[in-house]
Amino acid sequence: MAAPLSTSPWEKLGSLKYLVYSPFFVQAVGQWMLVGSILESWGFHILLLCALRGLVHQLWTSFCIIPCLSLRRRIILRGADFEQIDREWNWGFVIATIFHVICSEPLYYVLHRIMHGDHLFKRYHSRHHSSPVPQPFTAEHATFLEHLLLIPIIAIPVVVPSLMGNGSIALVYGYVLGFDFLRCMVHSNIEVFSHRIFEAFPVLRFLLVTPTYYNLHHADTTSNFCLFMPLFDILGNTLNSNSWDLQKKISLNAGKNPRVPDLVFLIHPVDVSATLHGPFMFRSFASIPYSIKWFIYPLWPAAFSLVLMGWAWAKPFIACFYELRGKLQHTWVIPRIGYQYFLPSESKGINRLIERAILDADRLGVKVMALASLNKINMLEWLVVARIKVQLLHSELGLNTRHRITCCTWVVVDHVNVKWNEQLNGGGALFVERHPNLRVRIVHGNTLTAAALLNGIPENVREVFLTGATSKLGRAIALYLCRRRVRVLYQRSCALFISTFVVVSVFGHDTLNLQMFTLSGERFRKIQAQAPVDCQKYLVQVTRYEAAKNCKTWIVGKWMTPREQDLAPTGTHFHQFAVPPISEFRHDCIYAGYAAMRLPEDVQGFGYCEYMLERGVIYACHAGGLVHALEGWTHHEVGAIDVDQIDVVWKAALKHGLRPTTKSYTQQPSVLLDKS
């Protein structure tokens, strides 16, 4: 049974706990309606103060999470994991915002020492010390009783001046926000002070606590109890003798190069709203799979402004990191959203950014760089020649409201001829050719992606329907399956879906003038020629979706309309590597997500979700780069997928503890499909 007042009364209410704010909101609105002014309403000032206090914590959190700003000054070289994020998000922000005022140093010191007694520490204060890596939100991660006990103590510096007739609104705001600012600073795990300041002004060692000083308290719970002034630890004989030596050591290390990562995963934001899902924005939001939340809408203009600034000035930057089996992994971000990858005018600029990231990694001594998503795709050159019909999906198909919201961000272009006359970088091959002496190994990760997708196909499947077969992944999957005597129905491309990443209201039956050229038939024949002679008969080209009406295993490599999905028989299993993923319109079918792998349990500092994936899961292309680093392979994985390496990479991934997320099978793909 939990100790009395160790949890808040509203802890289990979820988002409903914010109703605690409603009395202040009602009072503020009532004051405004009766008097016509809201500035004299105490409810308004409490709400505003709460919002500003939250902003202080959020700004400090963003600062200490962004590695490119703070990596060299980190005290504990590890990130916060999911467990810590959940604990600190459940501490009750309402309590901290309503009850937290300013406390005097002596009383805080005494209370803190009392809370470290065996009985009280075990039942109450241990919650605060349960976070192994201090973060700004750790400052308010305490039990309900501790917040209650702090109320009369931290109110003194605000209440006493008011009773003496010298109080003011400016005093309340300034003192409370200043208190939160300093508390977030000492819990930030970033040493923000130079040792030279304390050497030049030794008296500051009595007056100013540092993040290193407070980290020592979390490591040694018998010392460094003060709030902001080490003077009280000196008077109480509880000063850790290593406090200032360690602070100087960390400060000196800030001028040195930080630890070089073994692997860099190079990503880009999917769209404008997805930029808010970065761990350096809202870490609790980033710790759950991405979905549209209510707060995204008011923040969308700010996110769009960040995207524009990134497009104009930003260079690749570090977003987050974790460690596995002694291998340090960084995630670097290309400041471009998905829509920009489909603009021919942007291809050269994007390639320059990717090349810059690769050369920076090579200069630092990074061993492996894995390319994510659109950083390795082929890019189309668009030629405006022919008349093309354009229409919204829901205009043609009469979709329900939920599907309209999903599909109105996509424009369907029918009867398109496509010419693949330009590549973005050929899956990284361009950079390997341009820089033959690269020490960093470039990995597109598609080999493990293909293996993970093949792993999800049941062993008794003898026929599959494959779209997007002329892509790198589609080619490898087709060749792998035909070698296993699985009949592959290849659907020739006849449509192109253009991502707009904006909500379009009305198109009706507007038209566009475009012409593109396709070599789909020729590319199919080339792929077929790469298969063993006795296996070529298992590759069958079809031109209509109706040809697969009796096939219950569809491997989807391009976006598919609801009308096309309706041609699949009941019980069809849709495996996919399409970008974007197809929408789940059929309730009588099974839809597999993206190929992904679950990280081993011993991963350290992994506290964010990769877009829509669940916790602890990474995309297979990311896992492919990780396996490359763990195995110490010295070859590049660029260009076309080597079909012979699919089983090799799969075995290596399983050996290092990575597991597929598919629910079907976990054996080696060749074991599943080698029943001729």
Side-chain angles (χ1 to χ4, degrees):
M1 181 177 177
L5 298 179
S6 62
T7 59
S8 66
W10 43 77
E11 183 168 354
K12 296 182 179 180
L13 295 180
S15 297
L16 293 178
K17 65 177 176 285
Y18 295 106
L19 291 176
V20 175
Y21 285 114
S22 56
F24 308 114
F25 178 78
V26 171
Q27 195 279 334
V29 172
Q31 179 84 3
W32 176 68
M33 294 180 66
L34 293 175
V35 182
S37 173
I38 202 172
L39 295 180
E40 297 181 0
S41 165
W42 56 267
F44 166 75
H45 287 293
I46 288 178
L47 290 174
L48 181 57
L49 193 59
C50 291
L52 292 176
R53 295 189 70 196
L55 180 62
V56 170
H57 283 77
Q58 180 57 51
L59 291 176
W60 265 106
T61 299
S62 296
F63 167 72
C64 72
I65 287 179
I66 299 176
C68 59
L69 295 179
S70 59
L71 190 60
R72 297 187 179 189
R73 290 184 173 270
R74 284 186 181 271
I75 301 166
I76 298 178
L77 300 178
R78 191 167 81 237
D81 56 19
F82 291 118
E83 185 179 355
Q84 177 176 340
I85 291 171
D86 285 343
R87 282 199 307 266
E88 294 178 2
W89 189 246
N90 292 332
W91 47 257
F93 189 70
V94 175
I95 304 173
T97 350
I98 295 176
F99 295 160
H100 229 108
V101 232
I102 305 304
C103 129
S104 67
E105 289 283 347
L107 291 180
Y108 180 90
Y109 177 82
V110 171
L111 176 64
H112 198 175
R113 289 201 63 174
I114 292 174
M115 294 305 295
H116 273 263
D118 291 341
H119 180 74
L120 292 178
F121 184 85
K122 185 180 298 184
R123 305 187 74 185
Y124 294 98
H125 196 53
S126 59
R127 179 177 183 179
H128 177 73
H129 282 265
S130 65
S131 299
V133 183
Q135 300 270 278
F137 279 106
T138 309
E140 307 302 341
H141 180 49
T143 59
F144 189 51
L145 175 62
E146 289 174 284
H147 285 295
L148 288 175
L149 292 175
L150 282 174
I151 293 174
I153 298 174
I154 60 182
I156 293 174
V158 174
V159 173
V160 172
S162 299
L163 294 176
M164 296 175 64
N166 295 317
S168 67
I169 293 295
L171 172 65
V172 175
Y173 279 91
Y175 213 65
V176 173
L177 295 179
F179 175 84
D180 281 345
F181 181 88
L182 292 175
R183 287 261 286 171
C184 290
M185 178 199 71
V186 298
H187 285 87
S188 67
N189 192 39
I190 308 297
E191 185 48 72
V192 296
F193 294 107
S194 170
H195 66 285
R196 294 186 177 89
I197 296 176
F198 299 98
E199 290 177 349
F201 305 98
V203 69
L204 291 179
R205 295 182 178 181
F206 298 91
L207 304 177
L208 186 60
V209 73
T210 68
T212 303
Y213 189 98
Y214 198 79
N215 270 48
L216 280 173
H217 170 69
H218 270 247
D220 175 14
T221 57
T222 62
S223 63
N224 292 10
F225 293 100
C226 75
L227 181 57
F228 301 134
M229 299 176 63
L231 171 65
F232 293 92
D233 277 312
I234 296 174
L235 296 175
N237 196 30
T238 55
L239 176 68
N240 190 306
S241 59
N242 195 36
S243 298
W244 301 109
D245 292 337
L246 182 60
Q247 194 275 339
K248 180 177 181 179
K249 178 181 177 181
I250 293 174
S251 176
L252 289 172
N253 288 339
K256 301 177 182 179
N257 290 328
R259 178 182 170 187
V260 176
D262 299 278
L263 166 68
V264 168
F265 185 48
L266 192 62
I267 68 170
H268 66 84
V270 175
D271 56 21
V272 173
S273 60
T275 59
L276 299 173
H277 192 246
F280 50 85
M281 296 297 289
F282 303 102
R283 68 170 195 167
S284 293
F285 182 39
S287 70
I288 59 176
Y290 174 80
S291 61
I292 297 296
K293 304 292 185 182
W294 64 268
F295 61 83
I296 287 180
Y297 297 103
L299 291 176
W300 196 93
F304 184 68
S305 299
L306 289 176
V307 169
L308 291 180
M309 289 189 289
W311 174 76
W313 298 296
K315 60 182 181 180
F317 61 91
I318 307 172
C320 49
F321 63 94
Y322 67 87
E323 188 170 347
L324 177 65
R325 312 281 169 80
K327 302 291 185 181
L328 179 63
Q329 188 273 350
H330 279 189
T331 296
W332 292 5
V333 179
I334 296 293
R336 297 291 186 274
I337 61 172
Y339 166 66
Q340 293 171 291
Y341 283 76
F342 290 90
L343 299 177
S345 59
E346 288 291 315
S347 61
K348 291 183 179 179
I350 292 173
N351 263 343
R352 281 196 296 268
L353 288 172
I354 297 173
E355 185 173 26
R356 176 174 183 169
I358 290 173
L359 294 178
D360 285 346
D362 190 65
R363 176 178 52 81
L364 290 173
V366 176
K367 295 179 177 64
V368 177
M369 172 166 281
L371 303 178
S373 191
L374 301 180
N375 286 328
K376 59 190 175 187
I377 67 162
N378 292 325
M379 181 66 72
L380 303 178
E381 183 177 338
W382 305 51
L383 303 174
V384 181
V385 182
R387 181 181 178 88
I388 300 173
K389 179 182 178 182
V390 179
Q391 55 198 358
L392 281 176
L393 286 175
H394 65 73
S395 175
E396 175 188 2
L397 301 169
L399 304 178
N400 60 39
T401 303
R402 180 174 66 87
H403 289 147
R404 289 185 187 184
I405 295 173
T406 301
C407 298
C408 67
T409 60
W410 295 91
V411 179
V412 183
V413 184
D414 295 319
H415 310 300
V416 177
N417 290 322
V418 182
K419 181 179 180 181
W420 296 85
N421 62 349
E422 181 182 358
Q423 292 184 330
L424 183 62
N425 55 54
L430 172 67
F431 307 118
V432 174
E433 294 172 1
R434 189 176 293 176
H435 305 283
N437 296 321
L438 282 176
R439 293 174 300 168
V440 62
R441 303 294 109 176
I442 310 301
V443 176
H444 55 47
N446 288 341
T447 307
L448 186 55
T449 301
L453 190 147
L454 290 165
N455 169 78
I457 301 176
E459 60 181 72
N460 59 348
V461 168
R462 300 268 58 88
E463 181 180 72
V464 301
F465 177 57
L466 176 62
T467 70
T470 57
S471 65
K472 291 185 185 71
L473 270 170
R475 166 193 164 276
I477 291 169
L479 291 174
Y480 190 97
L481 290 175
C482 78
R483 290 183 183 185
R484 301 296 182 263
R485 306 300 193 269
V486 177
R487 189 167 182 261
V488 181
L489 302 180
Y490 159 71
Q491 191 270 334
R492 180 177 176 179
S493 298
C494 61
L496 175 70
F497 296 83
I498 307 172
S499 167
T500 63
F501 290 95
V502 294
V503 177
V504 187
S505 56
V506 178
F507 267 78
H509 295 283
D510 295 341
T511 60
L512 291 176
N513 292 320
L514 296 172
Q515 175 166 345
M516 303 179 184
F517 302 92
T518 181
L519 302 176
S520 296
E522 180 181 345
R523 294 191 70 188
F524 169 75
R525 289 188 290 273
K526 289 182 178 179
I527 292 174
Q528 189 179 44
Q530 296 174 29
V533 175
D534 60 333
C535 298
Q536 292 181 4
K537 62 183 179 181
Y538 293 100
L539 291 176
V540 181
Q541 183 176 6
V542 297
T543 58
R544 298 173 62 85
Y545 282 91
E546 287 83 352
K549 63 182 180 181
N550 296 319
C551 180
K552 289 193 174 184
T553 302
W554 288 34
I555 303 177
V556 182
K558 66 173 187 176
W559 212 81
M560 187 178 293
T561 67
R563 176 177 295 176
E564 292 163 343
Q565 293 184 41
D566 281 338
L567 297 174
T570 299
T572 295
H573 195 141
F574 290 98
H575 306 266
Q576 56 181 315
F577 58 94
V579 179
I582 61 175
S583 299
E584 300 182 9
F585 291 102
R586 293 283 301 274
H587 299 292
D588 57 348
C589 296
I590 302 172
Y591 291 83
Y594 278 133
M597 304 292 287
R598 185 173 298 279
L599 288 168
E601 294 294 330
D602 57 343
V603 64
Q604 295 182 322
F606 188 80
Y608 60 93
C609 290
E610 292 196 342
Y611 198 42
M612 295 184 179
L613 298 184
E614 59 186 273
R615 289 181 164 189
V617 175
I618 59 176
Y619 286 106
C621 59
H622 181 175
L626 186 58
V627 170
H628 213 90
L630 290 170
E631 283 289 307
W633 289 332
T634 58
H635 64 276
H636 295 287
E637 184 188 320
V638 296
I641 297 174
D642 184 350
V643 181
D644 295 328
Q645 289 295 309
I646 291 178
D647 289 343
V648 174
V649 174
W650 183 252
K651 287 180 180 179
L654 298 182
K655 181 182 73 174
H656 289 290
L658 285 92
R659 292 292 179 265
T661 57
T662 53
K663 297 180 181 179
S664 300
Y665 297 90
T666 57
Q667 296 99 321
Q668 183 181 345
S670 60
V671 174
L672 300 178
L673 303 172
D674 196 13
K675 286 193 176 183
S676 55

